[in-house]
Coordinates of all heavy atoms in Angstrom, one line a residue:
I288 N 0.8 -1.2 0.0 CA 0.0 0.0 0.0 C 0.9 1.2 0.0 O 0.6 2.2 -0.8 CB -1.0 0.0 1.2 CG1 -2.0 -1.2 1.1 CG2 -1.7 1.3 1.3 CD1 -2.7 -1.4 2.4
C289 N 1.9 1.2 0.9 CA 2.8 2.4 0.9 C 3.6 2.5 -0.4 O 3.7 3.7 -0.9 CB 3.8 2.3 2.1 SG 3.0 2.5 3.7
C290 N 4.1 1.5 -0.9 CA 4.8 1.5 -2.2 C 3.9 2.0 -3.3 O 4.4 2.8 -4.2 CB 5.4 0.2 -2.5 SG 6.7 -0.3 -1.4
E291 N 2.7 1.5 -3.4 CA 1.8 1.9 -4.4 C 1.5 3.4 -4.4 O 1.2 4.1 -5.4 CB 0.5 1.2 -4.3 CG 0.6 -0.3 -4.8 CD -0.7 -1.0 -4.5 OE1 -1.8 -0.4 -4.2 OE2 -0.7 -2.3 -4.7
A292 N 1.5 4.0 -3.2 CA 1.3 5.4 -3.0 C 2.6 6.2 -3.1 O 2.6 7.5 -2.9 CB 0.6 5.7 -1.6
G293 N 3.7 5.6 -3.4 CA 5.0 6.3 -3.6 C 5.6 6.7 -2.3 O 6.5 7.5 -2.3
L294 N 5.2 6.0 -1.2 CA 5.8 6.4 0.1 C 7.1 5.6 0.5 O 7.7 5.9 1.4 CB 4.8 6.1 1.2 CG 3.4 6.9 1.0 CD1 2.5 6.5 2.1 CD2 3.6 8.4 1.0
C295 N 7.4 4.6 -0.3 CA 8.5 3.8 -0.1 C 8.9 3.0 -1.4 O 8.1 3.0 -2.3 CB 8.4 2.8 1.1 SG 7.2 1.5 0.8
Q296 N 10.0 2.4 -1.4 CA 10.4 1.6 -2.5 C 10.3 0.1 -2.1 O 10.4 -0.2 -1.0 CB 11.9 1.9 -2.9 CG 12.1 3.3 -3.3 CD 11.3 3.7 -4.5 OE1 11.2 3.0 -5.5 NE2 10.7 4.9 -4.5
S297 N 10.0 -0.7 -3.1 CA 9.8 -2.2 -2.7 C 11.1 -2.7 -2.1 O 11.0 -3.7 -1.4 CB 9.4 -3.0 -3.9 OG 10.4 -2.9 -5.0
A298 N 12.3 -2.2 -2.4 CA 13.5 -2.7 -1.9 C 13.8 -2.2 -0.5 O 14.7 -2.7 0.2 CB 14.7 -2.3 -2.8
D299 N 13.0 -1.2 0.0 CA 13.2 -0.7 1.4 C 13.0 -1.8 2.4 O 12.0 -2.6 2.2 CB 12.2 0.5 1.7 CG 12.6 1.7 0.9 OD1 13.7 1.8 0.3 OD2 11.7 2.6 0.9
D300 N 13.8 -1.9 3.4 CA 13.7 -2.9 4.4 C 13.0 -2.3 5.6 O 13.7 -2.0 6.6 CB 15.0 -3.5 4.7 CG 14.9 -4.7 5.6 OD1 13.8 -5.4 5.6 OD2 15.9 -5.1 6.3
L301 N 11.7 -2.0 5.6 CA 11.0 -1.3 6.6 C 10.4 -2.3 7.5 O 9.8 -3.3 7.1 CB 10.0 -0.3 6.1 CG 10.5 0.8 5.2 CD1 9.4 1.6 4.6 CD2 11.5 1.7 5.9
S302 N 10.4 -2.0 8.8 CA 9.6 -2.9 9.8 C 8.1 -2.6 9.6 O 7.7 -1.6 9.0 CB 10.1 -2.6 11.2 OG 9.6 -1.3 11.6
L303 N 7.3 -3.5 10.1 CA 5.9 -3.3 10.1 C 5.5 -2.0 10.8 O 4.6 -1.3 10.4 CB 5.2 -4.5 10.7 CG 3.7 -4.5 10.6 CD1 3.2 -4.4 9.2 CD2 3.1 -5.8 11.2
T304 N 6.2 -1.7 11.9 CA 5.9 -0.5 12.6 C 6.3 0.8 11.8 O 5.5 1.7 11.8 CB 6.7 -0.4 14.0 OG1 6.4 -1.6 14.7 CG2 6.4 0.8 14.8
E305 N 7.4 0.7 11.1 CA 7.7 1.9 10.2 C 6.7 2.0 9.1 O 6.4 3.2 8.7 CB 9.1 1.6 9.6 CG 10.2 1.7 10.7 CD 11.6 1.3 10.1 OE1 11.6 0.3 9.4 OE2 12.6 1.9 10.5
V306 N 6.3 0.9 8.5 CA 5.3 1.0 7.4 C 4.0 1.6 8.0 O 3.3 2.4 7.3 CB 5.1 -0.4 6.8 CG1 3.9 -0.4 5.8 CG2 6.3 -0.8 6.1
T307 N 3.6 1.2 9.1 CA 2.3 1.7 9.7 C 2.4 3.2 10.0 O 1.5 3.9 9.7 CB 2.1 1.0 11.1 OG1 2.0 -0.4 10.8 CG2 0.8 1.5 11.7
K308 N 3.6 3.7 10.4 CA 3.8 5.1 10.6 C 3.7 5.9 9.3 O 3.1 6.9 9.2 CB 5.2 5.3 11.3 CG 5.4 6.8 11.6 CD 6.7 6.9 12.4 CE 6.9 8.4 12.7 NZ 8.2 8.6 13.4
K309 N 4.4 5.4 8.3 CA 4.3 6.0 7.0 C 2.9 6.1 6.5 O 2.5 7.1 6.0 CB 5.2 5.2 5.9 CG 6.6 5.5 6.0 CD 7.3 4.9 4.8 CE 8.7 5.3 4.7 NZ 9.0 6.7 4.5
L310 N 2.2 5.0 6.6 CA 0.8 5.0 6.2 C 0.0 6.1 6.9 O -0.7 6.9 6.3 CB 0.2 3.6 6.5 CG -1.1 3.2 5.9 CD1 -1.0 3.1 4.3 CD2 -1.6 1.9 6.4
R311 N 0.1 6.1 8.2 CA -0.6 7.0 9.1 C -0.3 8.5 8.8 O -1.1 9.4 8.8 CB -0.4 6.7 10.6 CG -1.0 7.6 11.5 CD -0.9 7.2 13.0 NE 0.5 6.8 13.3 CZ 1.4 7.6 13.8 NH1 1.3 8.8 13.9 NH2 2.6 7.1 14.1
E312 N 1.0 8.7 8.6 CA 1.5 10.1 8.5 C 1.5 10.7 7.1 O 1.4 11.9 6.9 CB 2.9 10.3 9.1 CG 2.9 10.1 10.6 CD 4.3 10.2 11.2 OE1 5.3 10.3 10.4 OE2 4.4 10.2 12.4
S313 N 1.5 9.8 6.1 CA 1.8 10.3 4.7 C 0.8 9.8 3.6 O 0.7 10.5 2.6 CB 3.2 9.9 4.3 OG 4.1 10.4 5.2
H314 N 0.1 8.8 3.9 CA -0.9 8.3 2.8 C -2.1 9.2 2.8 O -2.7 9.5 3.8 CB -1.3 6.8 3.1 CG -2.0 6.2 2.0 ND1 -3.3 6.5 1.6 CD2 -1.5 5.3 1.1 CE1 -3.6 5.8 0.6 NE2 -2.6 5.0 0.2
P315 N -2.5 9.6 1.6 CA -3.6 10.6 1.5 C -4.9 10.2 2.1 O -5.6 11.0 2.7 CB -3.8 10.8 0.0 CG -2.8 9.9 -0.7 CD -1.9 9.3 0.3
E316 N -5.2 8.9 2.1 CA -6.5 8.4 2.7 C -6.4 8.4 4.2 O -7.5 8.3 4.9 CB -6.8 7.0 2.2 CG -7.1 6.9 0.7 CD -8.2 7.8 0.3 OE1 -9.2 8.0 1.1 OE2 -8.1 8.3 -0.8
F317 N -5.2 8.5 4.8 CA -5.1 8.5 6.3 C -4.8 9.9 6.8 O -4.8 10.1 8.0 CB -4.1 7.5 6.7 CG -4.4 6.1 6.4 CD1 -4.2 5.6 5.2 CD2 -5.1 5.3 7.4 CE1 -4.5 4.3 4.9 CE2 -5.4 4.0 7.1 CZ -5.2 3.5 5.8
T318 N -4.6 10.9 6.0 CA -4.2 12.2 6.4 C -5.3 13.2 6.2 O -5.1 14.4 6.5 CB -2.9 12.7 5.8 OG1 -3.0 12.7 4.4 CG2 -1.7 11.8 6.2
T319 N -6.4 12.8 5.6 CA -7.5 13.8 5.4 C -8.0 14.3 6.7 O -8.1 13.5 7.7 CB -8.6 13.2 4.6 OG1 -9.0 12.0 5.2 CG2 -8.1 12.8 3.2
V320 N -8.4 15.5 6.8 CA -8.9 16.1 8.0 C -10.4 15.9 8.0 O -11.1 16.1 7.1 CB -8.6 17.7 8.0 CG1 -9.1 18.3 9.2 CG2 -7.0 17.9 8.0
S321 N -10.9 15.5 9.2 CA -12.3 15.3 9.4 C -12.6 16.0 10.8 O -11.7 16.4 11.5 CB -12.7 13.9 9.4 OG -12.1 13.2 10.5
P322 N -13.9 16.1 11.2 CA -14.2 16.7 12.4 C -13.6 16.0 13.7 O -13.4 16.7 14.7 CB -15.8 16.5 12.5 CG -16.2 16.4 11.1 CD -15.1 15.7 10.4
H323 N -13.2 14.8 13.6 CA -12.6 14.1 14.7 C -11.2 13.6 14.4 O -10.7 12.6 15.1 CB -13.5 13.0 15.2 CG -14.9 13.4 15.6 ND1 -15.1 14.1 16.8 CD2 -16.0 13.4 14.9 CE1 -16.4 14.4 16.9 NE2 -17.0 14.1 15.7
S324 N -10.5 14.2 13.5 CA -9.2 13.7 13.0 C -8.2 13.7 14.2 O -7.4 12.7 14.3 CB -8.6 14.7 12.0 OG -9.3 14.6 10.8
E325 N -8.2 14.6 15.1 CA -7.3 14.6 16.2 C -7.5 13.4 17.0 O -6.5 12.8 17.4 CB -7.6 15.9 17.1 CG -6.7 15.9 18.3 CD -7.1 17.1 19.2 OE1 -7.8 18.1 18.8 OE2 -6.8 17.0 20.4
H326 N -8.7 12.9 17.3 CA -8.9 11.7 18.1 C -8.6 10.5 17.3 O -8.0 9.5 17.9 CB -10.4 11.7 18.5 CG -10.7 12.9 19.5 ND1 -10.7 14.2 19.1 CD2 -10.9 12.9 20.8 CE1 -11.0 14.9 20.1 NE2 -11.1 14.2 21.2
T327 N -8.9 10.4 16.0 CA -8.6 9.2 15.3 C -7.1 9.1 15.1 O -6.5 8.0 15.2 CB -9.3 9.1 13.9 OG1 -9.0 10.3 13.2 CG2 -10.8 9.0 14.1
Q328 N -6.4 10.2 15.0 CA -4.9 10.1 14.9 C -4.3 9.6 16.2 O -3.3 8.9 16.2 CB -4.3 11.5 14.5 CG -4.6 11.9 13.0 CD -3.9 10.9 12.1 OE1 -2.8 10.5 12.3 NE2 -4.6 10.5 11.1
R329 N -4.9 10.0 17.3 CA -4.5 9.5 18.6 C -4.6 8.0 18.7 O -3.7 7.3 19.2 CB -5.3 10.2 19.7 CG -4.4 11.0 20.6 CD -5.3 11.8 21.6 NE -5.4 11.0 22.9 CZ -6.2 11.2 23.8 NH1 -7.1 12.2 23.7 NH2 -6.3 10.5 24.9
I330 N -5.8 7.5 18.2 CA -6.0 6.1 18.2 C -5.0 5.4 17.4 O -4.4 4.4 17.7 CB -7.5 5.8 17.8 CG1 -8.5 6.3 18.8 CG2 -7.7 4.3 17.5 CD1 -9.9 6.3 18.3
L331 N -4.8 6.0 16.2 CA -3.8 5.3 15.3 C -2.4 5.3 15.8 O -1.6 4.3 15.6 CB -3.8 6.1 13.9 CG -5.0 5.8 13.1 CD1 -5.0 6.7 11.8 CD2 -5.1 4.3 12.7
R332 N -2.0 6.3 16.6 CA -0.7 6.3 17.2 C -0.6 5.1 18.3 O 0.4 4.5 18.4 CB -0.4 7.6 17.9 CG 0.1 8.7 16.9 CD 0.7 9.9 17.5 NE -0.3 10.6 18.3 CZ -1.2 11.5 17.9 NH1 -1.2 11.8 16.6 NH2 -2.0 12.1 18.7
C333 N -1.7 4.9 18.9 CA -1.8 3.8 19.9 C -1.8 2.5 19.2 O -1.2 1.5 19.6 CB -3.1 3.9 20.8 SG -3.0 5.3 21.9
V334 N -2.4 2.4 18.0 CA -2.5 1.2 17.2 C -1.0 0.8 16.8 O -0.7 -0.4 16.7 CB -3.4 1.3 16.0 CG1 -3.1 0.3 14.9 CG2 -4.8 1.3 16.4
A335 N -0.2 1.8 16.6 CA 1.2 1.5 16.2 C 1.9 0.7 17.3 O 2.7 -0.2 17.1 CB 2.0 2.8 16.0
T336 N 1.5 1.0 18.6 CA 2.1 0.2 19.7 C 1.6 -1.3 19.6 O 2.3 -2.2 19.9 CB 1.6 0.8 21.0 OG1 2.1 2.2 21.1 CG2 2.2 0.1 22.2
I337 N 0.3 -1.4 19.2 CA -0.2 -2.8 19.1 C 0.5 -3.5 18.0 O 0.9 -4.7 18.1 CB -1.7 -2.7 18.8 CG1 -2.5 -2.2 20.0 CG2 -2.3 -4.1 18.4 CD1 -3.9 -1.9 19.8
V338 N 0.7 -2.8 16.8 CA 1.4 -3.5 15.7 C 2.8 -3.9 16.1 O 3.3 -5.0 15.8 CB 1.5 -2.5 14.5 CG1 2.5 -2.9 13.5 CG2 0.1 -2.3 13.9
D339 N 3.5 -3.0 16.9 CA 4.8 -3.3 17.4 C 4.8 -4.6 18.3 O 5.7 -5.4 18.3 CB 5.4 -2.1 18.2 CG 6.9 -2.2 18.4 OD1 7.6 -2.6 17.5 OD2 7.3 -1.9 19.5
A340 N 3.8 -4.7 19.1 CA 3.6 -5.9 20.0 C 3.3 -7.2 19.2 O 3.6 -8.3 19.7 CB 2.6 -5.6 21.1
L341 N 2.6 -7.0 18.1 CA 2.2 -8.2 17.3 C 3.4 -8.9 16.7 O 3.3 -10.1 16.5 CB 1.1 -7.9 16.3 CG -0.3 -7.5 16.8 CD1 -1.1 -6.9 15.7 CD2 -0.9 -8.7 17.5
N342 N 4.4 -8.2 16.3 CA 5.5 -8.8 15.6 C 6.2 -9.9 16.4 O 6.3 -11.0 15.9 CB 6.6 -7.7 15.3 CG 6.5 -7.2 13.9 OD1 5.9 -7.9 13.0 ND2 7.1 -6.1 13.6
P343 N 6.6 -9.6 17.7 CA 7.2 -10.7 18.4 C 6.3 -11.9 18.7 O 6.7 -13.0 18.8 CB 7.8 -10.1 19.7 CG 7.1 -8.8 19.8 CD 6.7 -8.4 18.4
I344 N 5.0 -11.6 18.9 CA 4.0 -12.6 19.2 C 3.9 -13.5 17.9 O 3.9 -14.7 18.1 CB 2.6 -12.0 19.5 CG1 2.6 -11.5 20.9 CG2 1.5 -13.0 19.3 CD1 1.4 -10.7 21.3
R345 N 3.9 -12.9 16.8 CA 3.8 -13.7 15.5 C 5.1 -14.6 15.4 O 5.0 -15.8 15.1 CB 3.7 -12.8 14.3 CG 3.7 -13.6 13.0 CD 3.9 -12.7 11.8 NE 4.0 -13.4 10.6 CZ 5.1 -14.0 10.2 NH1 6.3 -13.8 10.9 NH2 5.2 -14.6 9.0
N346 N 6.2 -14.0 15.7 CA 7.5 -14.7 15.5 C 7.8 -15.8 16.6 O 8.3 -16.8 16.3 CB 8.7 -13.7 15.4 CG 8.6 -12.9 14.2 OD1 8.1 -13.3 13.2 ND2 9.1 -11.7 14.2
R347 N 7.4 -15.4 17.8 CA 7.8 -16.3 18.9 C 6.7 -16.9 19.8 O 6.9 -17.7 20.6 CB 8.8 -15.6 19.9 CG 10.1 -15.2 19.2 CD 11.1 -14.6 20.2 NE 10.7 -13.3 20.7 CZ 11.0 -12.1 20.2 NH1 11.7 -12.0 19.1 NH2 10.6 -11.0 20.8
G348 N 5.4 -16.5 19.5 CA 4.3 -17.0 20.3 C 3.2 -17.7 19.5 O 2.2 -17.9 20.0
S349 N 3.5 -17.9 18.2 CA 2.5 -18.5 17.3 C 3.1 -19.7 16.6 O 4.3 -20.0 16.7 CB 1.9 -17.5 16.4 OG 2.9 -17.2 15.3
V350 N 2.3 -20.3 15.7 CA 2.8 -21.4 14.9 C 3.3 -20.9 13.5 O 3.6 -21.7 12.6 CB 1.7 -22.5 14.7 CG1 1.4 -23.2 16.0 CG2 0.5 -21.9 14.1
A351 N 3.4 -19.6 13.4 CA 4.0 -19.0 12.1 C 5.5 -19.5 12.0 O 5.9 -19.6 10.8 CB 4.0 -17.5 12.2
H352 N 6.1 -19.7 13.1 CA 7.5 -20.3 13.1 C 7.5 -21.4 14.1 O 6.6 -21.4 15.0 CB 8.5 -19.2 13.5 CG 8.5 -18.1 12.6 ND1 9.1 -18.1 11.3 CD2 8.1 -16.8 12.7 CE1 9.0 -17.0 10.7 NE2 8.4 -16.1 11.5
P353 N 8.4 -22.3 14.1 CA 8.5 -23.4 15.1 C 8.7 -22.8 16.5 O 9.7 -22.1 16.7 CB 9.7 -24.2 14.7 CG 9.9 -23.9 13.3 CD 9.5 -22.5 13.1
N354 N 7.7 -23.0 17.4 CA 7.8 -22.5 18.7 C 7.2 -23.5 19.7 O 6.2 -24.1 19.4 CB 7.0 -21.2 18.9 CG 7.6 -20.0 18.2 OD1 8.7 -19.6 18.4 ND2 6.9 -19.4 17.2
D355 N 7.9 -23.7 20.8 CA 7.4 -24.6 21.8 C 6.3 -23.9 22.7 O 5.3 -24.5 23.1 CB 8.5 -25.1 22.7 CG 9.4 -26.0 22.0 OD1 9.0 -26.7 21.0 OD2 10.6 -26.0 22.3
D356 N 6.5 -22.6 23.0 CA 5.6 -21.9 23.8 C 4.8 -20.9 23.0 O 5.3 -19.9 22.5 CB 6.4 -21.0 24.9 CG 7.2 -21.9 25.8 OD1 6.6 -23.0 26.2 OD2 8.3 -21.6 26.2
T357 N 3.5 -21.3 22.8 CA 2.6 -20.4 22.0 C 1.6 -19.8 23.0 O 1.5 -20.2 24.1 CB 1.9 -21.3 21.0 OG1 1.2 -22.3 21.6 CG2 2.8 -21.8 19.9
L358 N 0.9 -18.8 22.5 CA -0.1 -18.1 23.3 C -1.2 -19.1 23.6 O -1.6 -20.0 22.9 CB -0.7 -17.0 22.4 CG 0.2 -15.8 22.0 CD1 -0.5 -14.9 21.1 CD2 0.7 -15.1 23.3
D359 N -1.8 -18.8 24.8 CA -3.0 -19.6 25.1 C -4.2 -19.0 24.3 O -4.0 -18.0 23.7 CB -3.3 -19.6 26.6 CG -3.5 -18.2 27.2 OD1 -4.0 -17.3 26.5 OD2 -3.3 -18.0 28.4
D360 N -5.3 -19.7 24.4 CA -6.4 -19.3 23.5 C -6.9 -17.9 23.7 O -7.1 -17.2 22.7 CB -7.6 -20.3 23.7 CG -7.3 -21.7 23.2 OD1 -6.3 -21.9 22.5 OD2 -8.1 -22.6 23.5
I361 N -7.0 -17.4 24.9 CA -7.6 -16.1 25.1 C -6.6 -15.0 24.6 O -7.0 -14.0 24.1 CB -8.1 -15.9 26.5 CG1 -9.0 -14.7 26.6 CG2 -6.9 -15.8 27.5 CD1 -10.3 -14.8 26.0
D362 N -5.3 -15.2 24.9 CA -4.3 -14.3 24.4 C -4.2 -14.3 22.9 O -4.0 -13.3 22.2 CB -2.9 -14.5 25.1 CG -2.9 -14.2 26.5 OD1 -3.8 -13.4 27.0 OD2 -2.0 -14.7 27.2
A363 N -4.3 -15.5 22.3 CA -4.3 -15.6 20.8 C -5.5 -14.8 20.2 O -5.3 -14.2 19.2 CB -4.3 -17.1 20.4
M364 N -6.6 -14.9 20.9 CA -7.8 -14.2 20.3 C -7.6 -12.7 20.4 O -8.1 -12.0 19.6 CB -9.1 -14.6 21.1 CG -9.6 -16.0 20.7 SD -9.7 -16.3 18.9 CE -10.9 -15.0 18.4
L365 N -6.9 -12.2 21.5 CA -6.6 -10.8 21.6 C -5.8 -10.4 20.4 O -6.0 -9.4 19.8 CB -5.9 -10.5 22.9 CG -5.4 -9.1 23.1 CD1 -6.6 -8.1 23.1 CD2 -4.6 -9.0 24.4
A366 N -4.7 -11.2 20.1 CA -3.9 -10.8 19.0 C -4.6 -10.9 17.7 O -4.5 -10.0 16.8 CB -2.7 -11.8 19.0
I367 N -5.4 -11.9 17.5 CA -6.2 -12.1 16.2 C -7.2 -10.9 16.1 O -7.2 -10.3 15.0 CB -6.9 -13.4 16.2 CG1 -5.8 -14.6 16.0 CG2 -7.9 -13.5 15.1 CD1 -6.4 -15.9 16.3
N368 N -7.9 -10.6 17.1 CA -8.9 -9.6 17.0 C -8.3 -8.2 16.8 O -8.8 -7.4 16.1 CB -9.9 -9.6 18.2 CG -10.8 -10.8 18.2 OD1 -11.1 -11.3 17.1 ND2 -11.2 -11.3 19.3
S369 N -7.2 -8.0 17.4 CA -6.4 -6.7 17.2 C -6.0 -6.6 15.8 O -6.2 -5.5 15.2 CB -5.2 -6.6 18.2 OG -5.6 -6.6 19.5
S370 N -5.5 -7.7 15.2 CA -5.0 -7.7 13.8 C -6.2 -7.4 12.9 O -6.1 -6.6 12.0 CB -4.4 -9.0 13.5 OG -3.2 -9.2 14.3
R371 N -7.3 -8.1 13.2 CA -8.5 -8.0 12.3 C -9.0 -6.5 12.4 O -9.4 -6.0 11.3 CB -9.6 -8.9 12.7 CG -9.3 -10.4 12.4 CD -10.3 -11.3 12.8 NE -11.6 -10.8 12.2 CZ -12.6 -11.5 11.9 NH1 -12.5 -12.8 12.1 NH2 -13.7 -11.1 11.4
T372 N -9.0 -5.9 13.5 CA -9.5 -4.6 13.7 C -8.6 -3.6 12.8 O -9.1 -2.7 12.1 CB -9.5 -4.1 15.1 OG1 -10.4 -5.0 15.8 CG2 -9.9 -2.7 15.3
I373 N -7.3 -3.8 12.9 CA -6.4 -2.9 12.2 C -6.6 -3.1 10.7 O -6.7 -2.1 9.9 CB -4.9 -3.2 12.6 CG1 -4.7 -2.8 14.1 CG2 -4.0 -2.5 11.7 CD1 -3.4 -3.4 14.7
L374 N -6.7 -4.3 10.2 CA -6.8 -4.6 8.8 C -8.2 -4.1 8.3 O -8.3 -3.6 7.2 CB -6.7 -6.1 8.5 CG -5.3 -6.6 8.7 CD1 -5.3 -8.2 8.6 CD2 -4.3 -6.0 7.7
H375 N -9.2 -4.2 9.1 CA -10.5 -3.7 8.7 C -10.5 -2.2 8.6 O -11.1 -1.7 7.6 CB -11.6 -4.1 9.8 CG -13.0 -3.7 9.5 ND1 -13.8 -4.3 8.6 CD2 -13.7 -2.7 10.0 CE1 -14.9 -3.6 8.5 NE2 -14.9 -2.6 9.4
Y376 N -9.8 -1.5 9.5 CA -9.7 -0.1 9.4 C -9.0 0.3 8.1 O -9.4 1.2 7.4 CB -9.1 0.5 10.6 CG -8.9 2.0 10.6 CD1 -10.0 2.8 10.8 CD2 -7.7 2.5 10.2 CE1 -9.8 4.2 10.7 CE2 -7.5 3.9 10.2 CZ -8.6 4.7 10.4 OH -8.5 6.1 10.3
V377 N -7.8 -0.3 7.9 CA -7.0 0.1 6.7 C -7.8 -0.2 5.4 O -7.9 0.7 4.5 CB -5.7 -0.7 6.7 CG1 -5.0 -0.6 5.4 CG2 -4.8 -0.2 7.9
D378 N -8.4 -1.3 5.4 CA -9.2 -1.7 4.2 C -10.4 -0.7 4.0 O -10.6 -0.2 2.9 CB -9.8 -3.1 4.3 CG -10.5 -3.5 3.1 OD1 -9.9 -3.5 2.0 OD2 -11.7 -3.9 3.2
G379 N -11.0 -0.3 5.1 CA -12.1 0.7 5.0 C -11.6 2.0 4.5 O -12.3 2.7 3.7
K380 N -10.5 2.5 5.0 CA -10.0 3.8 4.5 C -9.6 3.7 3.1 O -9.9 4.7 2.3 CB -8.7 4.2 5.3 CG -9.0 4.6 6.8 CD -9.9 5.8 6.9 CE -9.0 7.0 7.0 NZ -9.8 8.2 7.3
L381 N -9.1 2.6 2.6 CA -8.7 2.5 1.2 C -9.9 2.4 0.3 O -9.9 2.8 -0.9 CB -7.7 1.4 1.0 CG -6.3 1.6 1.8 CD1 -5.5 0.3 1.6 CD2 -5.6 2.8 1.2
Q382 N -10.9 1.7 0.7 CA -12.1 1.5 -0.1 C -12.9 2.9 -0.2 O -13.5 3.1 -1.2 CB -13.1 0.5 0.6 CG -12.5 -0.9 0.6 CD -12.1 -1.4 -0.7 OE1 -12.8 -1.3 -1.7 NE2 -11.0 -2.1 -0.8
K383 N -12.7 3.7 0.8 CA -13.4 5.0 0.8 C -12.9 5.9 -0.3 O -13.6 6.6 -0.9 CB -13.2 5.7 2.1 CG -14.0 6.9 2.4 CD -13.8 7.4 3.8 CE -12.9 8.6 3.8 NZ -12.7 9.2 5.1
G384 N -11.6 5.8 -0.6 CA -10.9 6.7 -1.6 C -11.0 6.2 -2.9 O -11.6 6.3 -3.8

C-alpha cells in the first residue's frame, strides 16, 4: 500500500511499525482532515504500539514459526482480533478513496 502510494520503494527494508507510521502520516487516505481527526490520529498512534507488539508474538508465540511456547487461546484471540481490527480499518480507509 505504501509503495503503491509512492511512500517507499519495494527494496526498502522497513519494519511493520515503520510502514504503519508511513501509512498514518503520509498516505492521503489517512491524512485527510475530518471533524474528529485529532482523536482518530491519537487512536492510530496507539495502534502503532499494538502493531509493534504483534511482531514478536507472531514470531515467537504462534505457529508461524516453530515455537514450543505459544499463546494460550484467550491471548491468541486478543492478537487475532487486534489484527483484524487494524486490517478492517485500513481496508475501509482505502475503499473510501
